[in-house]
Amino acid sequence: MTALTEHADVVVVGGGPAGSTAAALIARRGHRVVLLERESFPRYQIGESLLPATVHGVCRLLGVEEELERAGFMVKHGGTFRWGKNPEPWTFHFASSARMSGPTSYAYQVERMKFDAILLRNAARSGVDVRELAEVVTVNPDGDRVGGVTYRDAEGRTRTIEARYVLDASGNTSGLHKNVGGQRVYSPYFRNIALFGYFEGGKRLPAPRSGNILSAAFSDGWFWYIPLSETLTSVGAVVRRESADLVRGDHREALNSLVAGCPLIADMLSDATMCTTAPYDRIRTRKDYSYCDTQFWRPGMALIGDAACFVDPVFSSGVHLATYSALLAARSVNSVLAGDIGEEDAFTEFESRYRREYKLFYEFLLSFYEMHQQEDSYFWNAKRVTGSDSSELEAFVELVGGVASEEPVLARSAAEIADRAMENADRLARAVGDDPAGSSTGSLLGTGSFDEVMGEGSRLQVQSLLGDAFADSPLFEGGLAGSRDGLSWVKA
Ligand code: FAD
């Protein structure tokens, strides 16, 4: 069969959060971008609990913040954990950190088929040539660079696209990442298996924690309990590899028996039934081995999202790492195509920042899995890992909110924080001030709160008037900084 050949500046493989984000941010700079997605959207995906850095950082940059708000996703103010030495559940709220204070102190729990479709449509609106049912079969060389891909289109024809860059955003199931060289290294620590399904009619925590992710440890692992709507709940058991027998056999029975062994989750599901409508009628399993490739790029190609690395889902960092790495890669591609920065410098910056963020989660998680600790000790470890100047609780909340990297674009700009905080004071008051069960469940909200948070908003507003609140600075000595619009690199 004759291959049909086209030309583009960039080919993005995969239309998940990583691919859609990178493609849109590159097309915004006027480059010709083709995105090839194997499936037809909307398609099912796991990874439903988002972080504020994604919702108010990358999604704001993408221009979909309001569309997300209109979609009516469940609002997540923080997380509630039955974890560690404390026999009682404890809660953290994103609002405890000044960097997420005000109206940016929440994220969403999303049905990924809806969220991913919003991002993919947005990429098309941004000028990306989105092609679904298009499966990339090979990555093609151009001398010692990568120079394009060959794919099968919806009609089964083989097509080739020559491009200056290929971004591999094809997730954790594809082998395309091997084309950058290096190796995929699996963590010896997080070798877990997840078994998950969907329930109708599960209980909700009392407001304002009703949209929180609930994580409950049990003897062989832990559960996530993610409220996706008033009635739909995503429930998953993550069990250690040594307990793999617990997830063998009939998956429905296995999940029910794991639920019965975890009193908190059993109580939340006491009036619930398993979903019977697609795509939520199946019990699925995933081996969420954590891995990281030793090389994230080579001339002409870079890996983003799960194609590059993945770390245990306990802090819901997957979509954050996917969209953040997409932003970093887009900056590199935009800078090189504009002739502003050399390829080596641009992609070294991409890889260094991406590895730094991955490592924060990875290292923190190592200590979080030590179950004999009190939560204070987890917070102390967050401060140690991030090297933050903030309080221990704030360091923890910033890490798990995705804003520890000190990237200005991941937290709302200071002026917007102050303005929107005034407009949305009601929402903030509900989130911060009115937690009725706060002390009885060990809520960590009582950190002084509403006044303090509003005070921080005003402080940042003054800073922004003085003009120093948005400037990015190099994270590494001799490194690059993000441009003011966030879409490229500038020399410091
Ligand atoms: P994907 O979302 O996997 O998208 C990749 C896309 O590439 C797919 O649409 C696929 O069809 C397409 N594709 C693949 N191969 C090809 C090809 N050859 N040609 C064209 N297209 C191709 N993350 C969170 O943020 N919150 C959570 O609560 C969370 N929970 C999780 C629970 C479990 C058990 C696991 C395993 C993961 C969880 N994650 C979570 C992680 C999250 O699922 C991923 O990190 C996230 O989906 C990665 O996005 P991505 O865009 O890199 O890849």
Side-chain angles (χ1 to χ4, degrees):
M1 195 181 297
T2 318
L4 305 165
T5 302
E6 299 169 82
H7 303 274
D9 293 317
V10 181
V11 171
V12 175
V13 188
S20 297
T21 298
L25 298 179
I26 296 168
R28 291 271 168 85
R29 282 283 174 94
H31 304 299
R32 175 158 158 60
V33 185
V34 180
L35 184 153
L36 303 171
E37 164 57 50
R38 185 175 57 188
E39 311 257 341
S40 168
F41 272 40
R43 59 94 177 86
Y44 174 85
Q45 178 57 294
I46 189 62
E48 295 143 333
S49 196
L50 303 186
L51 305 187
T54 303
V55 172
H56 304 292
V58 179
C59 288
R60 175 173 58 94
L61 208 56
L62 288 169
V64 294
E65 221 182 345
E66 285 175 12
E67 194 175 349
L68 293 181
E69 203 168 326
R70 283 196 303 275
F73 293 124
M74 183 62 89
V75 174
K76 166 190 176 188
H77 289 294
T80 298
F81 283 80
R82 220 311 293 135
W83 197 278
K85 213 170 173 182
N86 189 344
E88 294 302 321
W90 47 273
T91 294
F92 74 85
H93 296 259
F94 296 122
S96 305
S97 155
R99 299 210 68 219
M100 290 173 284
S101 64
T104 60
S105 59
Y106 66 92
Y108 295 116
Q109 316 284 18
V110 297
E111 290 181 65
R112 282 288 300 276
M113 43 197 298
K114 294 182 183 165
F115 176 75
D116 289 14
I118 288 175
L119 295 194
L120 191 66
R121 276 200 310 269
N122 179 64
R125 275 200 305 273
S126 307
V128 176
D129 179 350
V130 173
R131 301 181 192 173
E132 296 177 52
L133 297 173
E135 180 173 12
V136 171
V137 283
T138 58
V139 170
N140 304 327
D142 176 14
D144 54 3
R145 298 178 61 79
V146 164
V149 300
T150 297
Y151 74 100
R152 246 189 319 271
D153 72 10
E155 284 77 42
R157 287 175 301 190
T158 301
R159 289 172 167 267
T160 294
I161 306 183
E162 292 175 350
R164 301 265 311 268
Y165 282 100
V166 173
L167 294 183
D168 177 10
S170 60
N172 70 347
T173 53
S174 117
L176 297 176
H177 65 96
K178 292 179 189 146
N179 289 284
V180 296
Q183 284 174 342
R184 179 156 288 185
V185 178
Y186 289 86
S187 163
Y189 302 106
F190 307 118
R191 311 206 79 179
N192 299 327
I193 302 168
L195 182 71
F196 47 99
Y198 295 82
F199 290 78
E200 280 290 338
K203 289 183 191 163
R204 296 288 172 258
L205 294 170
R209 289 170 288 130
S210 49
N212 280 11
I213 183 169
L214 170 64
S215 301
F218 62 100
S219 54
D220 297 288
W222 59 275
F223 265 100
W224 77 72
Y225 187 95
I226 300 177
L228 292 175
S229 74
E230 291 305 324
T231 55
L232 179 66
T233 310
S234 165
V235 178
V238 177
V239 301
R240 283 185 286 279
R241 209 181 187 203
E242 307 84 71
S243 310
D245 280 352
L246 296 175
V247 301
R248 293 221 170 89
D250 182 87
H251 283 164
R252 203 163 288 265
E253 276 173 27
L255 186 57
N256 276 329
S257 129
L258 285 163
V259 167
C262 183
L264 181 56
I265 300 297
D267 175 57
M268 295 296 283
L269 290 175
S270 55
D271 301 327
T273 50
M274 276 188 183
C275 281
T276 51
T277 43
Y280 299 128
D281 53 344
R282 284 176 50 198
I283 308 297
R284 296 172 167 91
T285 175
R286 279 271 292 269
K287 287 182 183 166
D288 60 355
Y289 294 151
S290 299
Y291 56 82
C292 187
D293 283 25
T294 54
Q295 230 170 287
F296 284 179
W297 74 280
R298 64 175 274 207
M301 179 170 179
L303 310 178
I304 54 178
D306 279 8
C309 54
F310 175 72
V311 65
D312 184 276
V314 71
F315 280 118
S316 313
S317 54
V319 174
H320 163 62
L321 286 168
T323 51
Y324 178 54
S325 61
L327 165 65
L328 299 176
R331 282 179 183 170
S332 299
V333 170
N334 286 338
S335 303
V336 178
L337 291 182
D340 294 337
I341 308 277
E343 185 177 60
E344 180 79 31
D345 287 349
F347 282 92
T348 300
E349 187 69 37
F350 150 77
E351 180 157 347
S352 308
R353 288 195 187 216
Y354 189 8
R355 280 196 191 283
R356 180 179 184 269
E357 190 70 5
Y358 176 81
K359 200 165 153 234
L360 285 183
F361 280 95
Y362 186 91
E363 290 197 353
F364 178 65
L365 279 164
L366 288 176
S367 60
F368 198 68
Y369 267 93
E370 288 173 16
M371 288 292 180
H372 55 282
Q373 309 278 359
Q374 290 283 3
E375 51 271 26
D376 284 354
S377 150
Y378 299 134
F379 305 154
W380 180 87
N381 267 309
K383 189 169 163 71
R384 176 184 61 79
V385 167
T386 55
S388 166
D389 293 335
S390 313
S391 71
E392 291 166 5
L393 170 61
E394 278 180 292
F396 169 78
V397 170
E398 283 162 12
L399 172 60
V400 302
V403 301
S405 63
E406 293 170 27
E407 284 270 0
V409 295
L410 292 186
R412 188 182 285 280
S413 72
E416 283 176 282
I417 287 175
D419 290 348
R420 296 266 309 256
M422 300 312 290
E423 283 167 24
N424 293 294
D426 282 354
R427 188 204 316 245
L428 181 63
R430 278 200 304 279
V432 177
D434 300 345
D435 188 354
S439 51
S440 67
T441 56
S443 169
L444 299 165
L445 202 53
T447 52
S449 14
F450 184 67
D451 288 345
E452 254 176 47
V453 168
M454 294 303 285
E456 183 63 20
S458 312
R459 187 177 70 74
L460 290 169
Q461 189 175 35
V462 171
Q463 267 184 9
S464 76
L465 289 172
L466 293 173
D468 68 349
F470 313 115
D472 186 26
S473 46
L475 284 184
F476 309 102
E477 211 181 320
L480 303 169
S483 61
R484 286 211 162 229
D485 69 357
L487 299 189
S488 57
W489 298 118
V490 290
K491 287 185 181 136

